[in-house]
Structures are given as C-alpha cells and as structure tokens.
Amino acid sequence: MAGGFTHKLNPQAPLFATVPFQTAEYALSDFGKGDRISGVTKGQFSLIDIIRVLLGKSGPAHVWFTSWTAGIRDARTAAWLLQNGSMLSLKILTDQTFPTRQPKYCLEILKMFGDRSIWCSNVHCKIALIHNDEFSFVVRSSMNLNKNKRFEQFDIDDCSSLLAWWMAHLEDIVGRLDPGFKFGSSKVERAFRASLKKVDEEKNKKTIDLGFGIQESDLDLGDPFDFVGGDR
C-alpha cells in the first residue's frame, strides 16, 4: 500500500468478458483461483448474481457487500444463500437514504438478517468481498444488488492483499457506526467525515507537479465535503 490510498497489484494478464445478453455463470465461467477479470454487460444480471456464482466457485464463504440500493428479490436471494450455508456470514453496508427510499424493503430485510449485520453511511460504491481459507474474491462494480437494464461493468480479483485492504477500510467505516438502518443522524455524518483517515497524512503526503511551477500542495481546495448537488 503506497501512501495508504493506492494498492499495487502483482502484474498479471486479466480476463476480459463482453457480455451483451449472457448470464453471470457464462461471464465468469473461466474465472478461477488467482485470476482477475474485467467485464461489461447490459444489466441483465446484478451484483447478487455475481456473488452467487462466485460462492459456487469458492464453496462456503464469508460475504460483505456494499450497495446504494437493493431489490427485495435480491435480498431474498442473499437470505437463501445464507440459509443454505453458501454464505457463512453476511455484512451489509448501504446508503443512509435507502430506509427513506424503500422503507418496506428495509423492514423485510431487517426480518431476514436482523440489525446487527447492517450499517448505513454515505455509500455509492458497489463492492463485494467473498472469502474463506482458499479464496479472496474482491468485486468492484457499477452494479447495485438489483438488476438495472443499462450498461454495467465489473472487475473481480482473487487477491488476499486486496481483500485485506478493503476489509480494513470497511471495518474502519462500520466501527464508527451503530448497526441497523440509521439515517439522517449527526453520528452518520461524523463517521463519514472521519473515515479513511487512519494513515498519517503528513507522513504520506505527496507533492504532485501540476505544471506552470504549481504544486498540488500549494492549492487550498477547501473542505472536500463542501459541495452542492451530485448524482446518485
């Protein structure tokens, strides 16, 4: 880990999957131990479908995913994977607006998983971590837990060091939060502002030459969280 913010993977030739209509099983058919893959779809499958296929490759494993939203069908699929032993455990990090956008879904999700496995923050990233003693799958994707018939992408690595890097950041985030569908609280906002600051900022400070004799360290960019608007 360089400066606490970047992670250099060992070079290896990735697999590529262009999947205009096929299933997640087809897209990941050649993916296995130690591999990495990048793919693009038209939204015919979702993050939960990728998780399901990867669990078929790994065997029973611990799962952690983040998502901005979820459909009830997809939450039920996750519950089924937990009940049949494919998932050894499940942790969920979602956006704090989810309970206000889909209150009925949240009630059913609480019935399925309880409130000790769910946390809310300001979340838009879609990540899935699937790991046991043999596999360390890390999924980064544009996909939410539910399907969306639009162009979507995914990148997956079987990499223990990348898994550890993501686990450390997610543990840092949820360690500052109360479990359950909490939203609109000052604690959520304070936790969001305080997260990702474990590294010594001065020790790892980088100076980037922007040209014209200007260094990045010369710029006062103000509060990075002080912005207006923003797309979901």
Side-chain angles (χ1 to χ4, degrees):
M1 184 163 59
F5 297 100
T6 60
H7 185 85
K8 184 176 182 180
L9 296 173
N10 292 328
Q12 66 186 93
L15 302 166
F16 298 103
T18 302
V19 193
F21 58 85
Q22 297 92 336
T23 63
E25 285 85 354
Y26 177 90
L28 300 178
S29 58
D30 292 330
F31 180 77
K33 181 70 176 172
D35 284 340
R36 64 189 322 191
I37 187 169
S38 289
V40 62
T41 79
K42 289 186 176 179
Q44 68 271 25
F45 56 83
S46 69
L47 185 58
I48 192 61
D49 297 306
I50 289 178
I51 292 171
R52 176 178 51 77
V53 172
L54 291 176
L55 284 168
K57 293 176 179 288
S58 67
H62 301 281
V63 177
W64 196 336
F65 68 77
T66 74
S67 182
W68 187 71
T69 191
I72 200 62
R73 177 194 73 85
D74 313 289
R76 287 171 179 163
T77 299
W80 172 72
L81 291 168
L82 194 59
Q83 291 163 4
N84 72 16
S86 297
M87 290 185 186
L88 298 175
S89 66
L90 175 62
K91 294 180 180 180
I92 303 168
L93 178 64
T94 189
D95 191 73
Q96 65 167 326
T97 64
F98 184 45
T100 59
R101 287 183 282 111
Q102 299 288 355
K104 291 182 180 179
Y105 287 3
C106 289
L107 285 174
E108 186 155 351
I109 289 170
L110 282 175
K111 290 178 185 176
M112 286 187 258
F113 305 115
D115 65 359
R116 306 302 299 178
S117 300
I118 301 166
W119 293 265
C120 288
S121 184
N122 296 331
V123 174
H124 199 254
C125 63
K126 293 85 177 180
I127 306 294
L129 308 178
I130 302 165
H131 62 98
N132 55 24
D133 290 340
E134 186 176 356
F135 292 94
S136 301
F137 294 142
V138 181
V139 184
R140 292 86 68 209
S141 176
S142 61
M143 302 172 188
N144 285 300
L145 203 63
N146 59 312
K147 286 195 293 189
N148 195 336
K149 292 296 185 71
R150 290 169 170 81
F151 285 118
E152 299 271 28
Q153 62 79 219
F154 62 87
D155 295 285
I156 309 172
D157 288 85
D158 179 32
C159 177
S160 59
S161 59
L162 184 59
L163 175 80
W165 184 80
W166 269 108
M167 289 281 287
H169 283 308
L170 292 179
E171 291 283 2
D172 175 50
I173 293 167
V174 303
R176 304 172 188 274
L177 297 167
D178 294 325
F181 282 120
K182 305 295 192 300
F183 58 93
S185 73
S186 58
K187 187 168 185 177
V188 169
E189 292 303 325
R190 287 197 304 270
F192 178 70
R193 288 174 177 267
S195 63
L196 307 185
K197 290 185 178 179
K198 278 194 168 182
V199 296
D200 182 338
E201 293 179 351
E202 287 304 314
K203 180 179 177 182
N204 294 303
K205 189 174 183 181
K206 293 182 178 180
T207 300
I208 300 175
D209 187 351
L210 302 176
F212 308 103
I214 300 173
Q215 305 294 317
E216 184 190 36
S217 55
D218 296 331
L219 301 180
D220 180 8
L221 300 179
D223 185 349
F225 300 108
D226 183 17
F227 59 90
V228 177
D231 249 342
R232 293 294 182 190

